[in-house]
Amino acid sequence: MFGEHIHNDQSHNLDAPPTSTPAAPQPPQAEHTTKKEDTLFEILKIVFLAVLIVVPIRVFIAQPFVVSGASMDPTFENGEYIIVDQLSYNFNQPKRGDVIVFRFPLEPSKFFIKRIVGLPGEQLILQKKATIIINSEHPEGIIFNEPYVAPENMKTGSFSVVLGEGEYFVMGDNRAESSDSRSWGPINKEHIAGKAFIRLFPITHIDFLPGSIK
């Protein structure tokens, strides 16, 4: 057996003619080497399969992010861990109220998390206590209800913008502390990485579609 010493205890027969001494058994070096190679192969195979599964998921389906900053308070707090759905927007258009992660237009290596407030072709009028949407369905304008924005976090002053084709107006829920489309303009769909899908950390805040309008 592998790893054991085999003792050959040969008895002596005084009446029998002497016999030649049998050759000593070879040490199991070849077997040892083969098993090490098999183990290494199995490890490499598992690693390869893991990479084959995980990489496409990370690139095309879902990706983890950690929230940094207070621009989405109280919906998302600094340090929260979220998984972003990168697949849905390949089949559906982003909707008003979606919480998205996107590449910052002025520095694409950075990712921001904000909420979509304005859709392509719409006019937005931001007032001190209200966000008014003007579009083909509501040519006279309609107030967009934003229960996730605390009254003390609503922006002061007024702002108006007309969005072009493929443009989305995004803002943080903490309007007083957010750098968003009010400062650097709307984003295009190609900037969007995906929609907030699951909040995993902290454990007490685990949530599916976190920040969605109930």
Side-chain angles (χ1 to χ4, degrees):
M1 293 180 61
F2 175 71
E4 295 181 355
H5 295 286
I6 301 175
H7 298 278
N8 185 2
D9 186 13
Q10 182 182 359
S11 61
H12 296 280
N13 188 344
L14 298 178
D15 296 328
T19 58
S20 59
T21 303
Q26 294 296 319
Q29 185 62 41
E31 181 184 358
H32 178 70
T33 303
T34 301
K35 288 195 175 185
K36 286 179 64 176
E37 292 176 351
D38 290 345
T39 301
L40 179 60
F41 176 76
E42 289 299 321
I43 293 173
L44 291 176
K45 185 168 68 173
I46 292 171
V47 170
F48 175 76
L49 290 175
V51 170
L52 199 63
I53 294 171
V54 171
V55 170
I57 290 176
R58 286 286 302 271
V59 174
F60 301 108
I61 300 177
Q63 189 171 173
F65 288 91
V66 177
V67 177
S68 177
S71 71
M72 287 295 289
D73 281 351
T75 310
F76 294 90
E77 298 178 357
N78 184 62
E80 291 189 337
Y81 189 93
I82 63 173
I83 300 296
V84 171
D85 169 14
Q86 299 181 119
L87 190 62
S88 294
Y89 288 152
N90 292 327
F91 307 99
N92 302 296
Q93 294 300 316
K95 301 190 301 295
R96 190 187 335 277
D98 285 355
V99 175
I100 62 170
V101 170
F102 58 93
R103 292 186 180 273
F104 181 36
L106 303 183
E107 194 173 344
S109 62
K110 292 184 177 180
F111 289 89
F112 281 11
I113 179 170
K114 307 291 178 185
R115 189 183 298 271
I116 295 177
V117 178
L119 302 176
E122 294 183 333
Q123 180 181 0
L124 268 71
I125 301 174
L126 305 179
Q127 298 179 347
K128 183 176 181 179
K129 296 296 182 181
T131 299
I132 300 173
I133 308 293
I134 299 175
N135 54 27
S136 58
E137 296 180 1
H138 305 283
E140 300 300 320
I142 185 173
I143 295 177
F144 178 40
N145 183 31
E146 299 182 277
Y148 43 80
V149 180
E152 62 272 19
N153 287 338
M154 292 294 292
K155 74 175 292 294
T156 58
S158 60
F159 184 92
S160 179
V161 62
V162 177
L163 300 173
E165 183 179 354
E167 291 185 333
Y168 296 84
F169 196 87
V170 297
M171 290 193 289
D173 290 356
N174 185 0
R175 302 288 160 80
E177 300 292 335
S178 176
S179 172
D180 48 43
S181 289
R182 294 169 297 171
S183 303
W184 32 260
I187 65 171
N188 296 318
K189 187 177 180 181
E190 56 263 29
H191 292 134
I192 300 176
K195 177 170 60 175
F197 182 58
I198 301 175
R199 175 170 26 213
L200 290 179
F201 183 84
I203 296 176
T204 54
H205 289 178
I206 289 178
D207 193 13
F208 176 69
L209 293 178
S212 62
I213 302 175
K214 307 300 183 182

